[in-house]
């Protein structure tokens, strides 16, 4: 989902509620979630949909996570065209409905409608544009938005989340493949800007939750307002994915031997 300086994307994270061990179980949207040079920045705060309680941000700290548990909000976010539009606004910045229509092969009526729906639930907002005529410019709103853990999702919510994740993962893969192709024409240091790591950890579930939150904290340490961003900086897209390895298959059970046979075997064994 949308990402902007000072906040994190939508994420599906391990549950941090006190009852997590008794049934409560975070992308990624994501908008999820466990993350040093730059000091902490005061992040921009995003409007909170009616389904989530508003909270006052503490100066100097990122806003608290906002869980998107209302099925209406999740359905509004998961609509494929809205995902495309949020994706475009995140990567390319503010745009008009006409710009989005041209970029995504839609008509302006459709993009205008979807923008209004996204704004209704606090995912985008109007922003001052170029000042040409009556153009309406829109930007993706930042925020640490998270989905409920799978163990607390209803069957319908799981279906919506599966579709949302499927579209998000496909869009991320397309972006990465495009970036690799474009790297052949890059000049200078950015031609090598593809850090990549794979790892394996042995963790308990509480440790995984802690790891996730440390990842988010690391992201927030490096985020800053546009006014403090050097001219040579570029937007860098980050993605976090962690999942348990498949459980090993149980060893085949030894064939049962009747008690009488076991007795006979012992009787014939040499002493």
């Amino acid at each position: 989902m949308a990402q902007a300086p000072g906040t994190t994307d939508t994420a599906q994270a391990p549950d941090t509620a006190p009852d997590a061990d008794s049934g409560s179980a975070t992308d990624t949207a994501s908008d999820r979630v466990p993350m040093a040079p730059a000091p902490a920045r005061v992040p921009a705060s995003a409007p909170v949909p009616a389904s989530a309680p508003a909270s006052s941000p503490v100066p100097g700290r990122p806003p608290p996570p906002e869980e998107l548990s209302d099925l209406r909000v999740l359905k509004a976010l998961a609509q494929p065209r809205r995902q495309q539009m949020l994706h475009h606004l995140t990567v390319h910045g503010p745009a008009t409905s006409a710009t989005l229509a041209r970029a995504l092969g839609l008509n302006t009526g459709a993009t205008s409608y979807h923008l209004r729906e996204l704004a209704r639930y606090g995912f985008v907002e109007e922003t001052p544009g170029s000042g040409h005529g009556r153009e309406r410019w829109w930007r993706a709103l930042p925020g640490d938005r998270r989905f409920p853990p799978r163990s607390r999702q209803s069957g319908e919510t799981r279906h919506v989340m599966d579709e949302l994740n499927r579209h998000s993962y496909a869009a991320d893969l397309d972006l990465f493949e495009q970036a690799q192709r474009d790297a052949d024409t890059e000049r200078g240091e950015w031609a090598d800007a593809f850090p990549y790591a794979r790892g394996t950890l042995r963790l308990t579930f509480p440790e995984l939750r802690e790891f996730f939150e440390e990842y988010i904290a690391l992201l927030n340490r490096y985020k800053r307002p546009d006014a403090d961003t050097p001219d040579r900086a570029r937007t860098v897209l980050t993605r976090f994915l962690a999942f348990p390895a498949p459980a090993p298959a149980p060893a085949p059970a030894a064939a049962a031997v009747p008690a009488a046979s076991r007795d006979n075997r012992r009787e014939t064994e040499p002493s």
Side-chain angles (χ1 to χ4, degrees):
M1 248 213 48
Q3 179 170 316
T7 53
T8 63
D9 287 342
T10 301
Q12 188 165 349
D15 191 6
T16 56
D19 63 348
D21 294 335
S22 61
S24 299
T26 257
D27 357 139
T28 350
S30 217
D31 262 287
R32 161 177 173 2
V33 328
M35 308 237 31
R41 306 287 180 176
V42 180
S45 58
V48 179
S51 60
S55 56
S56 300
V58 177
R61 296 182 185 177
E66 169 198 343
E67 184 175 285
L68 304 182
S69 57
D70 190 323
L71 187 58
R72 296 171 302 170
V73 177
L74 295 175
K75 286 183 175 180
L77 178 62
Q79 210 281 344
R81 289 183 177 178
R82 292 172 197 162
Q83 279 292 295
Q84 287 181 294
M85 292 164 64
L86 278 172
H87 178 78
H88 189 280
L89 292 172
T90 300
V91 176
H92 302 287
T96 65
S97 60
T99 302
L100 290 170
R102 288 192 297 270
L104 303 177
L106 305 173
N107 62 67
T108 54
T111 54
S112 294
Y113 167 74
H114 291 307
L115 284 168
R116 290 194 299 271
E117 286 298 292
L118 289 170
R120 175 184 176 190
Y121 293 106
F123 298 117
V124 303
E125 70 173 1
E126 282 194 67
T127 185
S130 62
H132 296 304
R134 299 175 60 185
E135 288 181 334
R136 300 176 67 182
W137 287 74
W138 301 83
R139 75 177 185 106
L141 276 170
D144 185 353
R145 304 182 181 96
R146 307 188 184 190
F147 302 122
R150 199 166 182 85
S151 62
R152 286 201 281 108
Q153 295 175 10
S154 67
E156 188 174 6
T157 298
R158 288 186 180 185
H159 175 73
V160 173
M161 287 303 309
D162 288 345
E163 282 297 294
L164 176 60
N165 288 333
R166 184 173 65 83
H167 288 294
S168 297
Y169 297 155
D172 288 341
L173 182 58
D174 287 344
L175 260 184
F176 182 71
E177 291 178 342
Q178 178 185 339
Q180 285 188 306
R181 293 192 299 269
D182 294 346
D184 293 337
T185 61
E186 282 280 1
R187 297 292 183 269
E189 62 186 2
W190 287 100
D192 298 326
F194 288 87
Y196 177 69
R198 301 175 74 191
T200 302
L201 299 171
R202 296 279 293 175
L203 302 173
T204 64
F205 184 69
E207 288 173 335
L208 176 59
R209 294 188 303 192
E210 183 178 358
F211 185 89
F212 179 82
E213 295 300 337
E214 289 182 6
Y215 170 75
I216 290 299
L218 178 61
L219 274 184
N220 285 325
R221 283 174 56 191
Y222 278 86
K223 289 178 178 178
R224 53 196 168 192
D226 289 342
D228 295 339
T229 302
D231 292 337
R232 65 182 184 280
R234 291 176 58 172
T235 297
V236 174
L237 305 178
T238 62
R239 301 293 184 265
F240 177 91
L241 179 65
F243 51 92
V257 179
S261 299
R262 292 199 299 272
D263 292 343
N264 289 340
R265 186 175 62 245
R266 284 200 298 271
E267 289 175 0
T268 58
E269 288 174 353
S271 59

